[in-house]
Amino acid sequence: MYIIVVYDVNVKRVNHVKKFLRQHLHWVQNSVFEGEVTRAEYERIKAGLKGIIDENEDSVVIYRLRSQSLRDVLGTEKNPMEDII
Protein backbone atom coordinates (compact mmCIF):
# COMPACT_ATOMS: atom_id res chain seq x y z
CA MET A 1 0.00 0.00 0.00
CA TYR A 2 1.08 3.59 -0.49
CA ILE A 3 0.87 5.89 2.53
CA ILE A 4 1.16 9.61 3.18
CA VAL A 5 1.98 10.68 6.73
CA VAL A 6 1.43 14.25 7.92
CA TYR A 7 2.11 15.36 11.45
CA ASP A 8 1.88 18.30 13.80
CA VAL A 9 3.80 17.53 16.97
CA ASN A 10 5.34 19.50 19.81
CA VAL A 11 8.72 20.99 18.94
CA LYS A 12 10.30 18.74 21.60
CA ARG A 13 9.38 15.66 19.54
CA VAL A 14 9.47 16.92 15.95
CA ASN A 15 13.08 15.83 15.25
CA HIS A 16 12.45 12.41 16.77
CA VAL A 17 9.37 11.90 14.56
CA LYS A 18 11.22 13.13 11.47
CA LYS A 19 14.23 10.88 12.13
CA PHE A 20 11.97 7.87 12.67
CA LEU A 21 9.94 8.46 9.51
CA ARG A 22 13.08 8.99 7.38
CA GLN A 23 14.01 5.37 8.16
CA HIS A 24 10.80 4.17 6.50
CA LEU A 25 9.47 6.75 4.04
CA HIS A 26 10.44 9.47 1.58
CA TRP A 27 10.49 13.03 2.95
CA VAL A 28 8.30 15.26 0.75
CA GLN A 29 8.29 18.54 2.67
CA ASN A 30 8.03 19.82 6.23
CA SER A 31 5.95 17.37 8.26
CA VAL A 32 5.01 15.24 5.20
CA PHE A 33 6.35 11.79 4.28
CA GLU A 34 5.16 9.24 1.74
CA GLY A 35 6.08 5.83 0.40
CA GLU A 36 5.16 2.28 -0.52
CA VAL A 37 5.03 -0.06 2.48
CA THR A 38 3.91 -3.58 3.31
CA ARG A 39 1.18 -4.19 5.87
CA ALA A 40 3.85 -5.20 8.42
CA GLU A 41 5.87 -2.02 7.77
CA TYR A 42 2.69 0.04 8.13
CA GLU A 43 2.00 -1.53 11.52
CA ARG A 44 5.62 -0.92 12.63
CA ILE A 45 5.37 2.73 11.58
CA LYS A 46 2.10 3.17 13.51
CA ALA A 47 3.51 1.50 16.61
CA GLY A 48 6.74 3.50 16.41
CA LEU A 49 4.87 6.79 16.11
CA LYS A 50 2.59 5.90 19.02
CA GLY A 51 5.72 5.37 21.11
CA ILE A 52 7.11 8.79 20.19
CA ILE A 53 4.14 11.16 20.25
CA ASP A 54 2.00 12.41 23.11
CA GLU A 55 -1.52 11.48 21.96
CA ASN A 56 -2.99 14.22 24.16
CA GLU A 57 -0.95 16.94 22.46
CA ASP A 58 0.28 15.77 19.04
CA SER A 59 -1.45 14.86 15.80
CA VAL A 60 -0.41 12.36 13.11
CA VAL A 61 -2.59 11.58 10.09
CA ILE A 62 -1.84 8.58 7.87
CA TYR A 63 -3.56 8.35 4.48
CA ARG A 64 -3.64 4.84 3.00
CA LEU A 65 -3.85 4.48 -0.77
CA ARG A 66 -3.89 1.37 -2.91
CA SER A 67 -1.02 2.65 -5.04
CA GLN A 68 0.96 5.83 -5.60
CA SER A 69 -1.40 8.47 -6.88
CA LEU A 70 -0.55 11.00 -9.53
CA ARG A 71 0.90 14.17 -8.04
CA ASP A 72 0.95 17.73 -9.22
CA VAL A 73 3.52 19.96 -7.53
CA LEU A 74 3.01 23.69 -7.64
CA GLY A 75 6.07 25.78 -6.86
CA THR A 76 9.38 24.31 -5.76
CA GLU A 77 9.48 20.64 -4.85
CA LYS A 78 11.47 20.37 -1.61
CA ASN A 79 12.77 16.82 -2.11
CA PRO A 80 12.15 15.49 -5.65
CA MET A 81 11.33 11.81 -6.04
CA GLU A 82 14.12 11.56 -8.66
CA ASP A 83 16.60 11.81 -5.77
CA ILE A 84 15.60 8.30 -4.63
CA ILE A 85 18.08 5.61 -5.63
Side-chain angles (χ1 to χ4, degrees):
M1 84 182 77
Y2 197 83
I3 64 172
I4 299 170
V5 179
V6 296
Y7 60 91
D8 183 7
V9 300
N10 186 292
V11 69
K12 294 182 288 189
R13 290 179 288 281
V14 74
N15 285 331
H16 196 175
V17 170
K18 182 169 53 171
K19 184 177 178 182
F20 173 77
L21 288 173
R22 281 188 175 198
Q23 296 173 20
H24 302 280
L25 300 167
H26 176 72
W27 174 72
V28 178
Q29 60 179 232
N30 296 342
S31 303
V32 181
F33 284 80
E34 64 182 46
E36 188 76 35
V37 296
T38 64
R39 172 63 73 179
E41 289 170 320
Y42 172 70
E43 294 300 330
R44 276 195 298 274
I45 290 168
K46 276 186 15 180
L49 289 170
K50 282 184 179 184
I52 297 170
I53 69 167
D54 177 343
E55 292 188 28
N56 295 315
E57 185 176 358
D58 302 327
S59 174
V60 176
V61 179
I62 303 173
Y63 297 94
R64 292 180 288 162
L65 307 158
R66 293 176 194 250
S67 62
Q68 183 176 358
S69 59
L70 298 175
R71 314 167 60 226
D72 290 325
V73 177
L74 306 176
T76 304
E77 188 164 7
K78 300 247 182 189
N79 197 17
M81 292 294 232
E82 298 85 53
D83 291 349
I84 298 177
I85 297 176

